[in-house]
Amino acid sequence: TSRPRTNTLVPKPNPKQLKTMALSVRGLPKLSSTKASKASRVVTRASMWYGPDRAKWLGPYSENSCPSYLKGEYPGDYGWDSAGLSADPETFAAYRECELIHARWGMLGALGCVGPELTGDGMAPNPWFKQGALIFSDGGLDYLGNPSLVHAQSIIAVLACQVVLMGLSEAYRVNGGPAGEGLDKLYPGESFDPLGLADDPDTFAELKVKEIKNGRLAMFSMFGFYVQAIVTGKGPVQNWQEHVADPWAVNGFTEVFATKFTPN
């Protein structure tokens, strides 16, 4: 007698499992059950920047233009590496760290270059490349125009404080610090996350993309500030105001050919 055949049914994954599978790439952690209500929003927004279906540098024409070792595991990976800088994993990790640290400094530097020219009546507007020289004036340098806040009068003392504070913070970042071991050297989390940026892994993955995109733009901005200072001898705010007032007569092309690449 023949036995009746039984069909083995494989249960279909539920929507939560599908979303978890779609987001399980490096930098985009798996969703927990408590965050399932936000899964559709995260899939449509954050998954644009991770995985094989992420946005790439040539848009719809990126079919065979991305190297195999760039798989969308990290934030800011658009599949562009014409120089092969990311082919070696160790070199890639070092370049990623350098880029991210420089990006953060670039964002702080861009704000610091614009700030001195935007100060109100409490501080005299001054281009960023002349601001540091105020410490050599008779009254010294008052941070934010307030002598009771930081009244800097010695460049040696300022330099010593910067070396000590930066040395301690960098040693903490690289070695884990006294608050715990196993810390991520590049991003907040675990023992050091005072702002709670890594509390929600889905939002944190998206913040990583925003950080590197804005940081890359800030590094280009800093390069532009340097060129402006050399060519025009003015700060970015004054250059922008003059360009807006007369765009055709004051722009990058006219300024380059009208000056001698030395600050006035």
Side-chain angles (χ1 to χ4, degrees):
T1 60
S2 61
R3 295 181 179 179
R5 298 179 63 182
T6 58
N7 296 327
T8 302
L9 299 178
V10 179
K12 296 181 178 180
N14 56 44
K16 296 180 182 178
Q17 293 174 327
L18 291 175
K19 295 180 178 72
T20 301
M21 293 167 59
L23 296 175
S24 59
V25 294
R26 194 186 303 259
L28 196 58
K30 295 181 180 180
L31 290 175
S32 62
S33 58
T34 58
K35 302 181 182 69
S37 61
K38 300 184 295 181
S40 59
R41 172 181 60 83
V42 175
V43 167
T44 56
R45 187 172 60 185
S47 62
M48 294 173 54
W49 315 109
Y50 295 92
D53 297 328
R54 68 193 185 282
K56 300 181 179 67
W57 68 292
L58 285 180
Y61 306 102
S62 304
E63 182 65 28
N64 297 317
S65 62
C66 301
S68 59
Y69 48 82
L70 293 180
K71 303 177 182 179
E73 297 177 304
Y74 301 98
D77 177 7
Y78 290 91
W80 178 57
D81 187 20
S82 57
L85 300 177
S86 307
D88 179 62
E90 294 184 0
T91 304
F92 182 38
Y95 282 148
R96 282 188 62 245
E97 180 177 358
C98 290
E99 181 189 34
L100 185 60
I101 298 302
H102 281 79
R104 290 168 178 169
W105 279 115
M107 289 186 283
L108 289 174
L111 178 62
C113 289
V114 174
E117 290 188 84
L118 296 178
T119 54
D121 296 334
M123 293 177 285
N126 204 32
W128 62 269
F129 49 86
K130 295 181 179 179
Q131 191 71 11
L134 295 179
I135 196 173
F136 298 108
S137 60
D138 295 335
L141 177 62
D142 298 329
Y143 280 68
L144 299 179
N146 188 352
S148 61
L149 184 62
V150 176
H151 184 60
Q153 294 180 299
S154 173
I155 188 64
I156 302 298
V158 172
L159 180 61
C161 290
Q162 289 181 341
V163 170
V164 172
L165 293 176
M166 285 302 304
L168 292 176
S169 61
E170 278 295 286
Y172 178 89
R173 181 184 68 84
V174 174
N175 299 317
E181 297 181 355
L183 296 178
D184 192 334
K185 296 180 180 180
L186 298 180
Y187 295 100
E190 299 182 17
S191 299
F192 181 74
D193 188 14
L195 299 179
L197 299 176
D199 291 345
D200 182 5
D202 310 320
T203 303
F204 190 37
E206 187 178 356
L207 288 175
K208 291 179 180 179
V209 177
K210 292 180 178 180
E211 179 186 39
I212 193 62
K213 291 176 67 177
N214 284 277
R216 288 168 177 170
L217 180 61
M219 288 188 285
F220 274 103
S221 299
M222 286 301 303
F223 177 73
F225 294 165
Y226 295 150
V227 175
Q228 284 180 331
I230 295 173
V231 174
T232 66
K234 302 173 183 177
V237 175
Q238 184 177 356
N239 280 311
W240 171 75
Q241 291 173 339
E242 293 177 356
H243 171 70
V244 172
D246 193 356
W248 293 105
V250 182
N251 54 65
F253 297 102
T254 59
E255 292 299 307
V256 166
F257 293 110
T259 58
K260 298 180 180 180
F261 297 89
T262 56
N264 295 327

